[in-house]
Amino acid sequence: MTSTARIFDQPADQAIWDDLVAATPSGHILQSWAWGALKARFGWRVQRLAVGSAGAQVLYRSLPAGLGTIAYVPKGPLADLFDPSALQRLLEAIQPVARKQRAICLKIEPHLEDDAALAGRLQTLGFRPSPQAVQPRRTILVDLDAEPETLLKRMKQKTRYNIRLAARRGVIVRAGNETDLPDFYKLMETTASRDGFGIHSHAYYQTAHRLFVPSGYGHLLLAEYQGQLLAGLVVFALGNTACYMYGASSDEGRNLMPTYLLQWEAMLWARAQGCHLYDLWGVPDEEEATLEAQFTHRSDGLWGVYRFKRGFGGRLVRTLGAWDLVYASGRYRLYTLIVDWLNRRQTG
């Protein structure tokens, strides 16, 4: 490892690390200390390091069939990709540990908008587009730098109407605490069953709550009607961006539009934290014209949430996506074949 690399692995380093993430223009909650701590408790190994002003929280996960591991930098690295020398020094610091962990590649998903020049920089450094993304490539960002009434005016008329309808009909949104997690998890199970997606264990959400909420980096919001829990969400915030991370709703009371009021209250909370953007976290990776033409008759995958998210007056954004720097070409080729086979099974 280069002599200039600093390792962050002690509890006293947490505040320093999070300050680095928050100060980096492309810093993201998935590079926060708490996110690494969460993943470390559920099967990942964590390495945090910085070289000069560039840094990365690297997560390592074992692959099946003895292939080794994946070294993964979620929504990172914390680096100026237009400064290839700084990024190169960071990559040189990561490589010895990655190889010791038998990593077949270093996978990064920069928290930056899609840009041909940036993609070219990554290719110059040896990266190639990855066959496997972890985070959704396309999302909707809501600009919070306005008064609440202006934010409401930017929304689709139906969304604005539903927010006010929920409040008018008596839906109450309150902050949740750890004692509410069992009921929130039941909502998650209901939503997963109804909409056909996977969820984490109850212990995972409990751990996330303990790591993010007391520190002020997270907030659990619950929507109730006459004492009955109808919906809930978890929002995370660090630096200038808040992210809608987990959401769930009951099969009952949907006509009361509780999820609309929940998102609105989450935006107000994020605004109060000093965030400038609210990330609605994941829509289909299609151009806006395609999304607008097809959302009324598609509900598969992320299509089911696009209709809902599009109403909040945000901007459709596509990120750089996932890129791999290959360390072990033979094992990597086998990995790509497996990923391709799994993708074809899912779409076939």
Side-chain angles (χ1 to χ4, degrees):
M1 183 171 294
T2 61
S3 59
T4 55
R6 177 177 177 182
I7 304 300
F8 296 77
D9 58 4
Q10 300 299 315
D13 295 331
Q14 179 171 352
I16 301 170
W17 179 262
D18 284 342
D19 285 346
L20 171 63
V21 178
T24 303
S26 61
H28 193 277
I29 194 72
L30 298 196
Q31 281 290 293
S32 70
W33 187 282
W35 188 259
L38 175 63
K39 292 302 179 182
R41 297 185 193 184
F42 292 91
W44 296 79
R45 297 180 293 280
V46 183
Q47 174 198 25
R48 303 179 188 91
L49 73 164
V51 181
S53 60
Q57 176 167 256
V58 189
L59 308 179
Y60 294 92
R61 187 69 178 259
S62 296
L63 294 168
L67 285 177
T69 66
I70 285 282
Y72 171 47
V73 183
K75 292 295 182 179
L78 306 167
D80 179 3
L81 299 194
F82 281 112
D83 184 354
S85 61
L87 183 55
Q88 182 64 49
R89 289 193 297 272
L90 178 64
L91 296 175
E92 290 171 356
I94 293 171
Q95 183 174 345
V97 176
R99 289 192 178 278
K100 190 174 181 180
Q101 294 282 346
R102 294 192 69 241
I104 63 170
C105 67
L106 175 69
K107 183 188 300 292
I108 66 172
E109 286 185 308
H111 183 48
L112 294 165
E113 293 190 33
D114 200 7
D115 181 277
L118 287 179
R121 298 273 183 171
L122 290 176
Q123 289 173 324
T124 299
L125 289 167
F127 284 92
R128 64 182 72 177
S130 175
Q132 182 189 45
V134 181
Q135 310 301 332
R137 184 164 185 180
R138 205 177 290 258
T139 188
I140 294 176
L141 295 179
V142 178
D143 183 353
L144 299 177
D145 286 340
E147 293 301 313
E149 279 304 312
T150 301
L151 295 179
L152 285 167
K153 288 178 181 177
R154 291 174 181 169
M155 297 179 186
K156 303 287 186 185
Q157 188 276 334
K158 186 65 173 177
T159 298
R160 186 168 57 247
Y161 174 83
N162 286 341
I163 291 170
R164 290 169 171 162
L165 176 70
R168 191 166 61 247
R169 290 187 173 177
V171 175
I172 302 297
V173 174
R174 67 172 177 86
N177 54 51
E178 191 167 334
T179 62
D180 294 304
L181 289 179
D183 290 333
F184 175 70
Y185 189 70
K186 289 178 184 176
L187 283 186
M188 291 289 291
E189 291 177 315
T190 297
T191 306
S193 176
R194 182 182 65 231
D195 297 339
F197 63 83
I199 59 174
H200 296 289
S201 66
H202 178 272
Y204 184 95
Y205 297 108
Q206 183 181 59
T207 303
H209 187 277
R210 291 174 178 175
L211 287 170
F212 285 93
V213 174
S215 65
Y217 289 163
H219 198 44
L220 170 63
L221 287 167
L222 303 172
E224 298 175 335
Y225 176 71
Q226 297 182 350
Q228 180 183 5
L229 180 60
L230 298 181
L233 67 74
V234 177
V235 56
F236 291 161
L238 180 63
N240 72 346
T241 303
C243 300
Y244 163 47
M245 196 63 69
Y246 312 118
S249 61
S250 171
D251 291 335
E252 300 175 3
R254 303 184 76 181
N255 61 312
L256 299 174
M257 306 300 167
T259 56
Y260 289 88
L261 187 59
L262 263 179
Q263 289 292 346
W264 174 237
E265 292 293 341
M267 290 178 192
L268 293 178
W269 175 82
R271 191 171 174 274
Q273 306 311 301
C275 295
H276 303 291
L277 295 170
Y278 185 84
D279 188 345
L280 282 159
W281 200 260
V283 296
D285 188 19
E286 302 284 353
E287 295 297 329
E288 189 165 12
T290 301
L291 290 169
E292 289 297 300
Q294 298 186 20
F295 80 89
T296 57
H297 58 272
R298 288 191 64 175
S299 59
D300 53 297
L302 291 174
W303 283 93
V305 298
Y306 177 71
R307 179 198 296 265
F308 173 70
K309 294 179 179 181
R310 68 185 284 276
F312 288 95
R315 179 173 66 93
L316 187 67
V317 172
R318 191 172 197 249
T319 63
L320 270 173
W323 293 77
D324 291 344
L325 180 63
V326 177
Y327 295 140
S329 57
R331 286 182 287 136
Y332 181 83
R333 280 196 297 271
L334 183 55
Y335 156 76
T336 59
L337 289 173
I338 294 172
V339 169
D340 181 63
W341 177 74
L342 290 172
N343 288 339
R344 283 188 281 107
R345 281 194 65 187
Q346 290 174 355
T347 58

